Amino acid sequence: MSLASTPFDLPATGDYARDWALVDVETSGLIARRDRVLSVAVVTIGPDGEQTGEFSTLLDPGCDPGPVHVHGLTVERLQGAPTFDQVAGRIGAMLQDRVLVAHNAQFDYDFLAYEFTRARMWLPVSQRLCTLALNRQVDPPTDDMKLGTLAAHYGVPQQRAHDALDDTRVLAGILRASLREAARLDLPLPLVSCPPRAESPFTPKPPKTPCAYRNPGRPAPGGPLLQGMKIAITGETAHARAELVGRAVAAGLNMVTSVSRHTSVLVTNESASRSAKARRAAAEGVPVIDEHTFLRLLADVQAGTVHEPTAASAAIAPVKETAKETATAAAQAAEPGSTTAPVPEVPVLPPSSPGATVPAPRQPGDSAGALAKPLVSRRVLVLGGAHTEAAAARTRVVELGGSAAVNLSASVTDVVLLADGEKDRRMSRITLLALPVHDADWLTSPTATDPAAAAVRPKEPHVMPRGGVIDLPIPNGRPSPEWYVTASWAPQADCEIDVVAFILDDDEQVTFDEDFIFYGAPESPAGTVRLLTGGPAEQTIALDLASLPPATRKVVVAAAIDGATTFGTVGAIQISAAPGNSGSPLTRATLDAATTERTMLLAEIYRRGPVWRLRAVGQGYDHGLDALARGYGVAIAD
């Protein structure tokens, strides 16, 4: 199939008419900083929809080609192919001044960025568009968002899956159909800015060794140290800091970079130290010892209690179907010198009522009470109203069995108008789509009509209320998948929202500063938790639960707003959880903060017995991201 004679037929105006460079790479593995590109294809298309160029080549990676059973690229096939640096100039010329488009675009972008860095060149891409993110906004009625599934849905022929050139041609057809749908729904494109990147800022450090023992608390006065105790060091030391840390880790102690109420001991030679760690230790009553005493105690560290792995963490590491469909650690913070008072611990969201237990998990497909809920399988968009009124309406939608939407998409079945809702810019498109529009009274006793515009999907995601819990299933006899927790919101013109993650132990604290995943450090050192950006109104935390260390008991996903804007202005945030980055969402929740919050806990993924559970949280705080991070034990320089 050639696109040269096939009009692309893009929408002719606005963001939809651009110069596009469609890209697909086949790789030797999943980690861009380590693995290499084996083949690459680029198809360029102009704003008028006509193809303007096409290039593809196999590449000699200089390493083992990896999963040959997936891409079919053996050492023999790659022998004699050019190296990446020999074709980098031609690829760069095709990417220059165009929007890079790929299915899971961050994967392709990161691999190309590393390959260009190795070739001592900059990747000439200033914007990228992910067709996965675009289709999550469109929300077509498909089982999943895999390239082949979307191709079948949009009627795009596919000849050779995992062939870079054929996949790129298929991608062109998917982009064509997706842009048509986006234009029909009047959706803004999820374009991601791509500033120049050098290798050093986004290369994670080698992973540190997690402590294998549970924290036993603080030592008895004059008593020994026990394996698993959390030890912090501050100030100058006679021995090299690295030597002290190395000896302590070898003895089974948990060396931490900040002090909290969970710290067992602070080591310092400066009894009158005014460092942030010393001030916090004094406030929390943490025992303080000098270096000489610490070295003496290191000689006789007592046995601790070993963490027990869950079924998920004991599972075999996932074997991905393809590198595409399953795809900088923070430097240790300097010793803070500020005199700011210690930040209190971040409270954990309590149960909905005093003394209540954790809600029982709902299983996928649980339809208890469905007959009494008239909005089951319906997706309702609420427009207008004060924030509290709109939040109450969305809560009512969920109570009636429906799903509350935050953006217009192909899956929206109904629209509820509150005060001034008719002034929303989406109303003109809603009128053209002939979607049923209701007033607030409709939520008192909604009629279960069957609008023709509703997109019917084979399996609807389970809808969770705030505080709802669901088990993340472990496939029987199959590798445990990566889980992708995606947060999305209505596009914002005057603020940016950052999604972050904290990898926590039994004490609700990070083990290392590198267990704080954010825009400046988008990947944990071992690559088990990653931040992925799908656009200005969507970010994802990817979690390889089977590879998290046994000490990890919880991963908290949060969002923060930089500046004075609050979540009351932003409105609702939707979270969804899916197995694999192109899998169908298992569950979905719409969360509303109150009015003044600047940070918000979105979800907790935590161990309960042999399984992992996901909890929709939706609790906001007025303080900023730095205070939230300190509450979880991250050392933040003032």
Side-chain angles (χ1 to χ4, degrees):
M1 176 180 70
S2 173
L3 294 177
S5 59
T6 304
F8 201 61
D9 193 22
L10 293 178
T13 59
D15 276 355
Y16 310 109
R18 291 173 177 263
D19 284 302
W20 310 96
L22 288 75
V23 174
D24 186 76
V25 298
E26 297 297 327
T27 64
S28 64
L30 301 173
I31 301 176
R33 66 178 182 273
R34 179 195 69 194
D35 300 316
R36 301 299 300 271
V37 175
L38 308 178
S39 67
V40 58
V42 183
V43 169
T44 59
I45 295 169
D48 59 357
E50 294 292 334
Q51 178 177 320
T52 57
E54 180 178 281
F55 172 72
S56 67
T57 183
L58 299 178
L59 295 166
D60 179 0
C63 66
D64 185 276
V68 174
H69 66 285
V70 173
H71 50 60
L73 300 176
T74 62
V75 172
E76 292 73 24
R77 284 195 63 190
L78 299 176
Q79 193 170 21
T83 57
F84 190 90
D85 62 302
Q86 291 174 320
V87 299
R90 181 169 182 181
I91 294 173
M94 298 183 75
L95 298 176
Q96 185 75 45
D97 299 324
R98 293 184 172 91
V99 178
L100 183 149
V101 180
H103 205 58
N104 189 10
Q106 185 160 338
F107 181 94
D108 298 76
Y109 173 79
D110 285 346
F111 266 93
L112 288 176
Y114 271 102
E115 291 290 3
F116 271 83
T117 297
R118 295 184 186 105
R120 299 182 181 276
M121 298 173 62
W122 289 108
L123 174 63
V125 173
S126 60
Q127 283 186 312
R128 68 174 186 256
L129 175 68
C130 178
T131 47
L132 267 175
L134 178 57
N135 276 279
R136 277 194 289 266
Q137 286 194 5
V138 170
D139 202 17
T142 56
D143 278 336
D144 54 54
M145 296 290 181
K146 294 180 180 179
L147 192 74
T149 304
L150 291 175
H153 172 71
Y154 289 128
V156 179
Q158 186 176 28
Q159 297 177 350
R160 298 185 304 279
H162 310 313
D163 173 86
L165 181 57
D166 189 66
D167 281 353
T168 308
R169 290 169 170 168
V170 171
L171 180 65
I174 290 173
L175 177 65
R176 167 190 178 181
S178 302
L179 289 175
R180 280 178 168 173
E181 281 296 285
R184 186 178 72 88
L185 296 165
D186 195 23
L187 296 176
L189 296 183
L191 296 168
V192 176
S193 297
C194 303
R197 297 170 74 177
E199 185 171 355
S200 55
F202 67 108
T203 302
K205 297 177 181 178
K208 298 178 181 179
T209 304
C211 185
Y213 303 93
R214 296 175 64 91
N215 181 13
R218 296 171 182 173
L225 299 178
L226 293 135
Q227 290 176 322
M229 283 185 172
K230 292 188 171 185
I231 311 295
I233 302 176
T234 188
E236 296 295 328
T237 53
H239 293 74
R241 181 74 66 90
E243 178 186 350
L244 292 176
V245 171
R247 291 174 63 178
V249 169
L253 298 175
N254 188 353
M255 301 305 293
V256 296
T257 56
S258 63
V259 174
S260 75
R261 58 190 173 90
H262 304 289
T263 305
S264 305
V265 170
L266 175 66
V267 179
T268 179
N269 292 325
E270 304 168 8
S271 58
S273 172
R274 295 303 301 161
S275 72
K277 290 179 184 176
R279 294 196 311 274
R280 186 68 185 273
E284 297 290 353
V286 175
V288 178
I289 61 176
D290 60 24
E291 181 180 358
H292 175 75
T293 303
F294 180 55
L295 289 171
R296 177 175 57 80
L297 293 173
L298 273 182
D300 187 29
V301 176
Q302 302 297 299
T305 302
V306 178
H307 286 290
E308 294 183 4
T310 62
S313 63
I316 299 173
V319 177
K320 309 299 190 289
E321 180 184 354
T322 78
K324 290 299 300 308
E325 291 176 349
T326 53
T328 44
Q332 192 165 354
E335 187 82 22
S338 168
T339 58
T340 304
V343 177
E345 300 290 332
V346 173
V348 179
L349 178 67
S352 56
S353 61
T357 58
V358 174
R362 290 286 300 276
Q363 300 299 329
D366 185 354
S367 58
L371 295 178
K373 297 186 175 182
L375 295 187
V376 167
S377 299
R378 300 172 76 83
R379 193 139 166 78
V380 182
L381 178 63
V382 177
L383 300 181
H387 178 76
T388 52
E389 183 185 6
R394 284 186 284 263
T395 300
R396 176 61 177 163
V397 168
V398 174
E399 290 173 349
L400 293 169
S403 173
V406 298
N407 287 307
L408 181 61
S409 71
S411 65
V412 169
T413 60
D414 298 89
V415 177
V416 171
L417 292 186
L418 304 180
D420 294 327
E422 67 280 358
K423 298 178 182 178
D424 191 288
R425 70 166 189 83
R426 291 167 287 188
M427 272 307 300
S428 60
R429 192 60 43 147
I430 288 168
T431 301
L432 289 174
L433 296 172
L435 286 172
V437 177
H438 316 278
D439 59 23
D441 293 337
W442 180 73
L443 291 176
T444 303
S445 180
T447 54
T449 57
D450 185 19
V456 179
R457 65 188 69 248
K459 185 195 297 185
E460 290 287 342
H462 168 67
V463 178
M464 285 199 301
R466 180 178 181 269
V469 176
I470 192 169
D471 286 345
L472 299 180
I474 303 173
N476 293 327
R478 293 185 286 120
S480 180
E482 269 193 311
W483 282 91
Y484 285 70
V485 179
T486 298
S488 57
W489 49 87
Q492 304 296 308
D494 54 356
C495 71
E496 292 186 359
I497 298 173
D498 295 307
V499 173
V500 302
F502 300 92
I503 307 171
L504 305 178
D505 62 13
D506 292 298
D507 298 322
E508 302 266 337
Q509 299 284 287
V510 298
T511 301
F512 313 113
D513 287 348
E514 291 85 350
D515 287 340
F516 172 34
I517 313 303
F518 66 110
Y519 60 90
E523 182 177 327
S524 64
T528 52
V529 180
R530 296 173 291 131
L531 169 65
L532 310 174
T533 302
E538 175 188 295
Q539 294 176 38
T540 296
I541 297 294
L543 306 105
D544 186 351
L545 298 178
S547 299
L548 286 171
T552 300
R553 282 297 179 266
K554 180 185 291 184
V555 178
V556 171
V557 179
I561 301 176
D562 188 18
T565 304
T566 68
F567 280 106
T569 302
V570 171
I573 291 185
Q574 176 185 284
I575 61 168
S576 63
N581 69 348
S582 54
S584 176
L586 171 76
T587 188
R588 182 183 280 158
T590 302
L591 305 173
D592 285 287
T595 54
T596 61
E597 290 82 351
R598 294 170 52 220
T599 56
M600 185 174 179
L601 303 187
L602 302 177
E604 296 174 343
I605 301 91
Y606 63 95
R607 298 180 194 258
R608 177 58 61 92
V611 301
W612 287 92
R613 287 181 174 178
L614 181 139
R615 183 184 188 189
V617 180
Q619 177 160 328
Y621 301 94
D622 290 345
H623 55 57
L625 179 57
D626 55 346
L628 185 70
R630 285 193 185 96
Y632 286 125
V634 180
I636 301 291
D638 293 313

